Amino acid sequence: MKRFLRTFLSATLAASLLVGCGESGGDKPAESTPTQAPANNDVKPADSGSTDDGGEVDGGGEVDPSVSEGMKVGVSMPTKDLQRWNQDGANMEKELIAAGYEVDLQYAANDVQQQLSQIENMIAGGCDVLVIAAIEGSSLGEALDMAKENEIPVIAYDRLLMNSDAVSYYATFDNYKVGTVQGTYVKEQLDLDNADGPFNIEFTAGDPGDNNAGYFFNGAYDVLKEYIESGKLVVVSGQKTFEEVATPTWATDKAQSRAENIIGSFYANTDIDVWLCSNDSTALGVENALANNYTGKYPIITGQDCDIENTKNMIAGKQSMSVFKDTRTLASQVVKMTGQILSGTTVDVNDTSTYNNGVITVPSFLCEPVFADANNYKEILIDSGYYTEDQLK
Ligand code: BGC
């Protein structure tokens, strides 16, 4: 049965242009015309080509519930240290079980070797599909080769798996747009087109081993670049390349110590107006550093994920916004994709040109991020059932 399905799969998988959890209309992500997607194994670069038509919903991809019968899905998450991955893992497990799959969910404590061996165990344990959120996108080659040898389709979850042709699909949020949402928030808050300025700004970006981190940073920087070049925004530390502002493993303590150095060295006599942080774990580090070392006016601080601590800080006025990526939406999309792959039906993708992993362009489904702040968090986070009011007290 499984072998039949896999053979069937290799021969028939196709991807088509669909827009589901988010219409991608705008700032960057390319839409594409329907295209042949790589099958799980003999993966070839997907046709690229973009259109700006925003895509259309074709409603394809109805999956017969019997598809999940006897099927096991391996879900490999990077760490339990950050709230979001616990939520992603829990949502995936819940939804896969509800759809009738057996699930092998593992967290790898941010240790690449551990993630490698967990994935190898999933393969040895008979998983039929692998869903992987990599610690380091480029470090899982061995396990991906093994998946390919065993004809197991691989879905890159949230973070792209790099330098491998064994990646069948990618499901994520529109990473560049996450950055443009942050940059646009800053631009609007400071009214950069009309205000005189100058305003002081610092950047804190993510992990260089995570392919998403560059997209986030570039998205934000591209919005603010013209104001930096004109002198309306001043990066007082002078640190404005991704390499200079990156935070290994997205660690709060590393973001905090870099922020403490910057505050100590450059902000004894002047205020910081903006601290553009790519996500919430790094924003928390900056917020800790400011709380311990800074006496000036509190800056605009951006983030991403709407983690509980950060949402509390938003309510308390210590963080200005966070980009909300509803992990329930991503999990549902990936469960749907899994069913489509296993049944050999059309797999929903809405981008076949943006995410080249160094070897192939991986057909992707991009969900839409939105921003949350103290004004709209109730509607976005509480009314939607993401958090209860008590969790944010
Ligand atoms: C995710 C972010 C997350 C970061 C740190 C990124 O790959 O897209 O949502 O904040 O990793 O875990």
Side-chain angles (χ1 to χ4, degrees):
M1 166 74 169
K2 290 186 182 185
R3 179 147 299 280
F4 163 75
L5 271 172
R6 287 191 190 138
T7 313
F8 178 64
L9 257 178
S10 309
T12 60
L13 281 189
S16 79
L17 171 64
L18 274 190
V19 174
C21 59
E23 298 263 333
S24 244
D27 297 311
K28 150 122 199 243
E31 294 300 340
S32 66
T33 47
T35 181
Q36 282 301 114
N40 47 333
N41 309 310
D42 41 56
V43 183
K44 295 182 192 70
D47 288 343
S48 64
S50 39
T51 62
D52 277 329
D53 63 3
E56 44 185 65
V57 180
D58 81 1
E62 280 306 309
V63 177
D64 176 349
S66 68
V67 160
S68 57
E69 207 183 304
M71 291 288 155
K72 182 148 105 179
V73 181
V75 180
S76 171
M77 290 283 145
T79 174
K80 282 198 154 200
D81 288 353
L82 291 193
Q83 187 195 317
R84 79 150 289 187
W85 303 113
N86 291 289
Q87 268 167 301
D88 284 278
N91 288 335
M92 281 296 299
E93 187 174 44
K94 190 170 129 209
E95 292 221 16
L96 284 166
I97 288 173
Y101 296 97
E102 199 184 325
V103 182
D104 183 359
L105 167 65
Q106 305 284 337
Y107 292 87
N110 259 340
D111 175 339
V112 173
Q113 283 311 315
Q114 192 171 325
Q115 186 164 41
L116 261 176
S117 63
Q118 286 174 342
I119 296 170
E120 286 169 4
N121 286 337
M122 288 173 184
I123 296 169
C127 284
D128 298 280
V129 175
L130 294 173
V131 177
I132 302 174
I135 297 165
E136 262 179 31
S138 303
S139 303
L140 296 176
E142 264 170 58
L144 296 176
D145 288 348
M146 194 171 159
K148 186 175 171 181
E149 275 156 32
N150 286 275
E151 302 184 353
I152 300 171
V154 174
I155 301 173
Y157 184 95
D158 192 82
R159 298 173 170 175
L160 188 56
L161 293 158
M162 305 302 290
N163 305 322
S164 169
D165 68 357
V167 190
S168 312
Y169 294 96
Y170 180 36
T172 188
F173 283 83
D174 184 336
N175 295 305
Y176 184 84
K177 186 157 188 191
V178 168
T180 64
V181 168
Q182 294 169 333
T184 304
Y185 184 88
V186 169
K187 177 179 154 177
E188 285 172 2
Q189 290 296 307
L190 292 178
D191 193 15
L192 285 176
D193 284 332
N194 300 306
D196 291 337
F199 301 102
N200 295 335
I201 183 167
E202 296 297 333
F203 289 88
T204 293
D207 183 359
D210 176 356
N211 187 59
N212 290 353
Y215 280 92
F216 300 145
F217 176 74
N218 289 336
Y221 200 88
D222 287 351
V223 174
L224 301 176
K225 193 171 163 210
E226 62 175 293
Y227 307 101
I228 294 172
E229 284 174 355
S230 72
K232 204 174 265 191
L233 286 175
V234 181
V235 186
V236 179
S237 71
Q239 298 172 19
K240 48 189 171 192
T241 63
F242 175 74
E243 290 69 27
E244 288 171 309
V245 305
T247 311
T249 71
W250 296 92
T252 299
D253 59 343
K254 294 192 173 93
Q256 180 170 342
S257 56
R258 178 171 166 268
E260 280 166 355
N261 284 336
I262 289 177
I263 294 165
S265 307
F266 301 100
Y267 289 94
N269 303 311
T270 184
D271 283 355
I272 308 166
D273 298 300
V274 182
W275 208 306
L276 191 304
C277 299
S278 285
N279 87 329
D280 279 356
S281 61
T282 55
L284 209 52
V286 168
E287 285 150 28
N288 293 342
L290 289 165
N292 296 342
N293 302 284
Y294 180 70
T295 49
K297 191 172 130 292
Y298 230 73
I300 294 168
I301 302 177
T302 64
Q304 165 182 199
D305 294 335
C306 290
D307 284 351
I308 288 180
E309 281 313 301
N310 298 74
T311 306
K312 285 182 182 169
N313 277 355
M314 283 199 296
I315 297 166
K318 295 181 189 160
Q319 179 170 325
S320 313
M321 63 85 84
S322 184
V323 177
F324 179 50
K325 305 195 302 190
D326 193 330
T327 54
R328 296 168 301 189
T329 311
L330 185 57
S332 302
Q333 191 60 39
V334 173
V335 173
K336 190 170 165 198
M337 227 175 207
T338 303
Q340 291 168 337
I341 291 173
L342 286 173
S343 61
T345 51
T346 302
V347 177
D348 297 358
V349 296
N350 58 13
D351 185 306
T352 52
S353 61
T354 303
Y355 287 99
N356 187 288
N357 75 355
V359 180
I360 56 167
T361 300
V362 184
S364 306
F365 194 98
L366 310 184
C367 301
E368 280 291 281
V370 293
F371 83 84
D373 65 6
N375 296 320
N376 71 2
Y377 81 92
K378 280 199 175 141
E379 184 191 331
I380 293 200
L381 300 175
I382 296 177
D383 297 352
S384 77
Y386 202 70
Y387 292 137
T388 61
E389 215 142 355
D390 281 352
Q391 285 177 291
L392 300 179
K393 278 183 184 148

mmCIF file of all heavy atoms in Angstrom, residues 82 84-85 158-159 175 210 212 216 250 279 304-305 325, ligand 1:
data_model
loop_
_atom_site.group_PDB
_atom_site.id
_atom_site.type_symbol
_atom_site.label_atom_id
_atom_site.label_comp_id
_atom_site.label_asym_id
_atom_site.label_seq_id
_atom_site.Cartn_x
_atom_site.Cartn_y
_atom_site.Cartn_z
ATOM 1 N N LEU A 82 11.666 28.111 22.618
ATOM 2 C CA LEU A 82 10.841 29.247 22.229
ATOM 3 C C LEU A 82 9.384 28.812 22.143
ATOM 4 O O LEU A 82 9.078 27.737 21.647
ATOM 5 C CB LEU A 82 11.271 29.814 20.872
ATOM 6 C CG LEU A 82 12.621 30.518 20.808
ATOM 7 C CD1 LEU A 82 12.754 31.278 19.500
ATOM 8 C CD2 LEU A 82 12.807 31.478 21.967
ATOM 9 N N ARG A 84 6.981 29.599 20.273
ATOM 10 C CA ARG A 84 6.289 29.317 19.025
ATOM 11 C C ARG A 84 6.441 27.870 18.575
ATOM 12 O O ARG A 84 5.502 27.291 18.061
ATOM 13 C CB ARG A 84 6.655 30.306 17.910
ATOM 14 C CG ARG A 84 7.940 30.099 17.205
ATOM 15 C CD ARG A 84 7.817 30.603 15.754
ATOM 16 N NE ARG A 84 6.960 29.708 14.950
ATOM 17 C CZ ARG A 84 6.784 29.817 13.665
ATOM 18 N NH1 ARG A 84 7.346 30.801 13.016
ATOM 19 N NH2 ARG A 84 6.029 28.958 13.003
ATOM 20 N N TRP A 85 7.617 27.279 18.785
ATOM 21 C CA TRP A 85 7.809 25.911 18.285
ATOM 22 C C TRP A 85 7.006 24.905 19.090
ATOM 23 O O TRP A 85 6.567 23.886 18.566
ATOM 24 C CB TRP A 85 9.302 25.556 18.253
ATOM 25 C CG TRP A 85 10.055 26.546 17.398
ATOM 26 C CD1 TRP A 85 10.982 27.452 17.814
ATOM 27 C CD2 TRP A 85 9.895 26.758 15.988
ATOM 28 N NE1 TRP A 85 11.411 28.214 16.756
ATOM 29 C CE2 TRP A 85 10.761 27.812 15.623
ATOM 30 C CE3 TRP A 85 9.102 26.171 15.001
ATOM 31 C CZ2 TRP A 85 10.864 28.285 14.308
ATOM 32 C CZ3 TRP A 85 9.204 26.640 13.691
ATOM 33 C CH2 TRP A 85 10.078 27.683 13.369
ATOM 34 N N ASP A 158 8.115 26.190 7.868
ATOM 35 C CA ASP A 158 8.472 27.554 8.288
ATOM 36 C C ASP A 158 9.862 27.986 7.820
ATOM 37 O O ASP A 158 10.050 29.086 7.344
ATOM 38 C CB ASP A 158 8.347 27.735 9.807
ATOM 39 C CG ASP A 158 8.427 29.206 10.182
ATOM 40 O OD1 ASP A 158 7.395 29.882 10.077
ATOM 41 O OD2 ASP A 158 9.528 29.694 10.529
ATOM 42 N N ARG A 159 10.873 27.129 7.975
ATOM 43 C CA ARG A 159 12.232 27.458 7.559
ATOM 44 C C ARG A 159 12.613 26.586 6.366
ATOM 45 O O ARG A 159 12.434 25.360 6.424
ATOM 46 C CB ARG A 159 13.217 27.192 8.702
ATOM 47 C CG ARG A 159 12.949 28.054 9.918
ATOM 48 C CD ARG A 159 13.842 27.626 11.079
ATOM 49 N NE ARG A 159 13.769 28.580 12.166
ATOM 50 C CZ ARG A 159 14.368 28.412 13.339
ATOM 51 N NH1 ARG A 159 15.083 27.319 13.573
ATOM 52 N NH2 ARG A 159 14.270 29.324 14.288
ATOM 53 N N ASN A 175 7.948 35.563 4.495
ATOM 54 C CA ASN A 175 9.016 36.049 5.377
ATOM 55 C C ASN A 175 9.469 37.473 5.051
ATOM 56 O O ASN A 175 9.753 38.254 5.951
ATOM 57 C CB ASN A 175 10.197 35.082 5.305
ATOM 58 C CG ASN A 175 9.840 33.729 5.862
ATOM 59 O OD1 ASN A 175 9.385 33.634 6.999
ATOM 60 N ND2 ASN A 175 10.017 32.678 5.074
ATOM 61 N N ASP A 210 19.483 30.475 9.805
ATOM 62 C CA ASP A 210 18.060 30.353 9.464
ATOM 63 C C ASP A 210 17.796 31.207 8.231
ATOM 64 O O ASP A 210 17.908 32.428 8.272
ATOM 65 C CB ASP A 210 17.240 30.845 10.672
ATOM 66 C CG ASP A 210 15.740 30.855 10.410
ATOM 67 O OD1 ASP A 210 15.306 30.564 9.272
ATOM 68 O OD2 ASP A 210 15.005 31.179 11.364
ATOM 69 N N ASN A 212 15.238 32.243 6.938
ATOM 70 C CA ASN A 212 14.218 33.283 7.105
ATOM 71 C C ASN A 212 14.813 34.608 7.551
ATOM 72 O O ASN A 212 14.294 35.677 7.235
ATOM 73 C CB ASN A 212 13.199 32.881 8.193
ATOM 74 C CG ASN A 212 12.314 31.741 7.772
ATOM 75 O OD1 ASN A 212 12.361 31.312 6.628
ATOM 76 N ND2 ASN A 212 11.507 31.243 8.692
ATOM 77 N N PHE A 216 13.593 38.532 6.683
ATOM 78 C CA PHE A 216 12.983 39.465 7.640
ATOM 79 C C PHE A 216 13.753 40.788 7.630
ATOM 80 O O PHE A 216 13.181 41.868 7.532
ATOM 81 C CB PHE A 216 13.022 38.914 9.079
ATOM 82 C CG PHE A 216 12.305 37.601 9.297
ATOM 83 C CD1 PHE A 216 12.801 36.669 10.209
ATOM 84 C CD2 PHE A 216 11.140 37.294 8.619
ATOM 85 C CE1 PHE A 216 12.145 35.474 10.446
ATOM 86 C CE2 PHE A 216 10.472 36.086 8.839
ATOM 87 C CZ PHE A 216 10.982 35.170 9.759
ATOM 88 N N TRP A 250 19.001 33.022 17.553
ATOM 89 C CA TRP A 250 17.897 33.904 17.965
ATOM 90 C C TRP A 250 17.852 34.055 19.491
ATOM 91 O O TRP A 250 16.784 34.295 20.078
ATOM 92 C CB TRP A 250 16.543 33.350 17.514
ATOM 93 C CG TRP A 250 16.292 33.235 16.043
ATOM 94 C CD1 TRP A 250 16.518 32.157 15.247
ATOM 95 C CD2 TRP A 250 15.722 34.234 15.183
ATOM 96 N NE1 TRP A 250 16.120 32.409 13.958
ATOM 97 C CE2 TRP A 250 15.628 33.672 13.890
ATOM 98 C CE3 TRP A 250 15.271 35.548 15.376
ATOM 99 C CZ2 TRP A 250 15.105 34.372 12.802
ATOM 100 C CZ3 TRP A 250 14.748 36.234 14.288
ATOM 101 C CH2 TRP A 250 14.670 35.650 13.021
ATOM 102 N N ASN A 279 12.394 39.528 15.726
ATOM 103 C CA ASN A 279 11.381 38.645 16.338
ATOM 104 C C ASN A 279 11.287 38.922 17.839
ATOM 105 O O ASN A 279 11.996 39.780 18.383
ATOM 106 C CB ASN A 279 11.703 37.172 16.071
ATOM 107 C CG ASN A 279 12.647 36.588 17.104
ATOM 108 O OD1 ASN A 279 13.501 37.299 17.649
ATOM 109 N ND2 ASN A 279 12.501 35.307 17.392
ATOM 110 N N GLN A 304 8.126 39.792 16.482
ATOM 111 C CA GLN A 304 7.434 38.828 15.626
ATOM 112 C C GLN A 304 7.109 37.591 16.447
ATOM 113 O O GLN A 304 7.975 37.121 17.203
ATOM 114 C CB GLN A 304 8.365 38.423 14.469
ATOM 115 C CG GLN A 304 7.927 37.192 13.740
ATOM 116 C CD GLN A 304 8.857 36.738 12.625
ATOM 117 O OE1 GLN A 304 8.443 35.989 11.784
ATOM 118 N NE2 GLN A 304 10.108 37.161 12.613
ATOM 119 N N ASP A 305 5.932 37.093 16.322
ATOM 120 C CA ASP A 305 5.418 35.845 16.907
ATOM 121 C C ASP A 305 4.317 36.067 17.943
ATOM 122 O O ASP A 305 3.591 35.140 18.279
ATOM 123 C CB ASP A 305 6.490 34.966 17.585
ATOM 124 C CG ASP A 305 7.519 34.409 16.615
ATOM 125 O OD1 ASP A 305 7.186 34.281 15.433
ATOM 126 O OD2 ASP A 305 8.649 34.112 17.045
ATOM 127 N N LYS A 325 1.925 35.571 13.407
ATOM 128 C CA LYS A 325 1.869 34.488 12.433
ATOM 129 C C LYS A 325 1.086 33.366 13.115
ATOM 130 O O LYS A 325 1.625 32.695 14.006
ATOM 131 C CB LYS A 325 3.283 34.024 12.067
ATOM 132 C CG LYS A 325 4.151 35.181 11.570
ATOM 133 C CD LYS A 325 5.406 34.734 10.872
ATOM 134 C CE LYS A 325 6.310 33.865 11.687
ATOM 135 N NZ LYS A 325 7.619 33.640 11.051
HETATM 136 C C1 BGC B 1 10.630 31.897 12.606
HETATM 137 C C2 BGC B 1 10.234 32.969 13.573
HETATM 138 C C3 BGC B 1 10.910 32.736 14.902
HETATM 139 C C4 BGC B 1 12.414 32.500 14.732
HETATM 140 C C5 BGC B 1 13.061 32.077 16.019
HETATM 141 C C6 BGC B 1 12.128 31.834 12.506
HETATM 142 O O1 BGC B 1 12.513 30.885 11.585
HETATM 143 O O2 BGC B 1 10.065 32.139 11.333
HETATM 144 O O3 BGC B 1 8.839 32.975 13.731
HETATM 145 O O4 BGC B 1 10.741 33.840 15.737
HETATM 146 O O5 BGC B 1 12.647 31.504 13.775
HETATM 147 O O6 BGC B 1 12.590 30.855 16.446
#
